[in-house]
Amino acid sequence: MAIQLSVLDQSPILQGSSPQEALQQTIELAKRVDQLGYKRFWMSEHHSAQSLAGSAPELLTGIIAQATERIKVGTGGVLLPHYSTYKVAEIFRTLEGLYPGRIDLGVGRAPGGMPGVNYALNKGKYPDVHSFPKQAADLLSYLEGGSPEGYQVYATPLGPTVPPVWILGSSGSSAGLAGELGANYTFAQFINPDGGPAAIQQYYDHFIPSEHQKEPTASAAVFTVVGETEEEAEYLASSLDVSLLMADQGQIRNHFMSPEEAQQYKFSYFEAERVKYNRNRMIVGDVESVKQQLEQMATDFQIDEIIANVIVYPFEKRLDSYEKLAKAFQLNEK
């Protein structure tokens, strides 16, 4: 089974760089992976995060689509409970009108930041995440020209093509919803290392064909670290190890540290166990090892597309990782 590779980019702010540089690196990375033959380039939504610059993926989607030629561009994803479903539909119908056939609309229901983010985005109220299934159904209807909320309004501009909707999640509930709506589904292995194959099987079991989606389509996103050797890969991954640990502990990070800095960190026994657990969210090794691990993951998950999320220091090593993967999987480089 041939595996398709895609990219999830969170605009990480690396040690010694600025948020502005992180955003420029996102554009540079998108241009390069477009040339290398990757299928998709998705951007995440994070709020009040000092180590991630990507807070407005819907805005970046238009900028990246303009800067690239053939790669599909989209969100991984829009956190729907924070927003007007109608407005989201209009944004993505506009993007689809500008770049027909190249736009993906990935949506999720996670809060996307610290607790205060929920209130800041919702006029001092906590968003009703339980309404997410209805919001997702309404979104699909608006995109397809319907008026699901009964207001007799339509998401414009209307056009002959509709951006595909991907339900993003890390549990079986989101997988079942994606299937029932006849949407696509992506499992966030880089967030939750447990239950991916079962969630995707639940998606397949619940899939009902829809107007624009006749067959189930699933993928999974995973942190990926590629080195020249196994030793270098471990070295590069050490900064992600410490960053994920700090996030688990609720520590504020204003950058992703260099491996040199990460190597100085002394783990307690319980921290070392947590790092070991977090490695299940990552695929680490030299290029041949990573290729084999990704192929095994695709088999275990019953998917043919994996979305690689590479956060390593420095930026040049990030580019190099995607170049190595493209060569190993014989992507169609221009």
Side-chain angles (χ1 to χ4, degrees):
M1 176 177 62
I3 298 176
Q4 300 175 92
L5 291 183
S6 295
V7 176
L8 173 64
D9 184 68
Q10 296 176 287
S11 301
I13 302 168
L14 304 179
Q15 183 176 338
S17 68
S18 68
Q20 292 72 32
E21 289 172 318
L23 293 172
Q24 290 302 317
Q25 288 168 355
T26 288
I27 297 172
E28 184 177 344
L29 177 62
K31 290 179 178 179
R32 184 64 185 127
V33 297
D34 182 33
Q35 295 169 346
L36 290 169
Y38 282 79
K39 185 172 185 179
R40 308 178 199 281
F41 190 89
W42 284 359
M43 290 146 288
S44 63
E45 179 175 334
H46 293 273
H47 300 285
S48 194
Q50 296 185 32
S51 60
L52 299 170
S55 60
E58 68 280 12
L59 177 61
L60 285 172
T61 294
I63 293 168
I64 296 299
Q66 175 66 28
T68 54
E69 296 180 9
R70 59 178 179 173
I71 196 167
K72 291 182 177 293
V73 185
T75 53
V78 170
L79 305 178
L80 199 55
H82 292 313
Y83 309 116
S84 156
T85 304
Y86 177 65
K87 181 60 176 176
V88 172
E90 290 206 316
I91 289 171
F92 280 83
R93 285 220 61 102
T94 300
L95 289 167
E96 181 70 17
L98 290 168
Y99 309 101
R102 291 187 56 208
I103 301 300
D104 287 332
L105 172 49
V107 298
R109 64 177 155 194
M114 301 298 288
V117 164
N118 293 289
Y119 300 106
L121 285 171
N122 294 277
K123 300 179 181 179
K125 298 179 181 179
Y126 197 87
D128 181 12
V129 295
H130 300 295
S131 68
F132 177 72
K134 182 179 186 307
Q135 275 194 293
D138 288 350
L139 178 64
L140 284 163
S141 179
Y142 274 130
L143 289 170
E144 294 167 0
S147 181
E149 296 176 295
Y151 300 136
Q152 299 303 308
V153 296
Y154 302 93
T156 54
L158 299 174
T161 60
V162 176
V165 172
W166 292 77
I167 305 294
L168 316 179
S170 55
S171 69
S173 61
S174 56
L177 173 65
E180 291 165 4
L181 293 177
N184 306 282
Y185 178 67
T186 297
F187 184 82
Q189 179 79 5
F190 73 102
I191 293 175
N192 177 20
D194 301 316
I200 288 179
Q201 185 60 56
Q202 186 168 348
Y203 165 67
Y204 291 148
D205 290 343
H206 286 76
F207 184 81
I208 300 172
S210 60
E211 182 178 350
H212 293 284
Q213 186 75 24
K214 304 305 180 186
E215 301 289 338
T217 302
S219 63
V222 63
F223 283 124
T224 309
V225 179
V226 185
E228 292 286 349
T229 62
E230 292 284 341
E231 292 74 20
E232 188 195 40
E234 287 294 325
Y235 176 71
L236 293 172
S238 64
S239 60
L240 188 55
D241 284 334
V242 176
S243 294
L244 293 178
L245 177 64
M246 293 175 67
D248 291 340
Q249 295 173 341
Q251 297 186 48
I252 301 298
R253 303 166 296 145
N254 58 14
H255 63 262
F256 282 86
M257 63 182 62
S258 68
E260 290 84 355
E261 182 182 356
Q263 296 279 308
Q264 305 303 312
Y265 195 98
K266 304 300 182 184
F267 298 113
S268 69
Y269 170 80
F270 294 105
E271 287 177 330
E273 288 298 303
R274 185 65 189 186
V275 167
K276 187 184 301 183
Y277 173 76
N278 279 338
R279 278 300 183 97
N280 296 312
R281 300 159 61 183
M282 305 160 60
I283 286 180
V284 180
D286 63 26
V287 67
E288 283 304 316
S289 172
V290 168
K291 181 175 186 289
Q292 292 173 9
Q293 291 179 71
L294 290 175
E295 289 173 337
Q296 186 61 53
M297 181 179 175
T299 298
D300 293 342
F301 282 60
Q302 301 181 71
I303 55 177
D304 62 7
E305 181 179 354
I306 290 180
I307 305 172
N309 181 2
V310 178
I311 300 179
V312 295
Y313 177 97
F315 174 65
E316 289 72 24
K317 282 292 183 181
R318 197 150 128 240
L319 284 175
D320 184 60
S321 295
Y322 285 113
E323 289 171 354
K324 282 184 169 62
L325 286 174
K327 184 176 181 180
F329 281 92
Q330 299 180 322
L331 301 187
N332 183 27
E333 183 171 2
K334 286 171 50 179

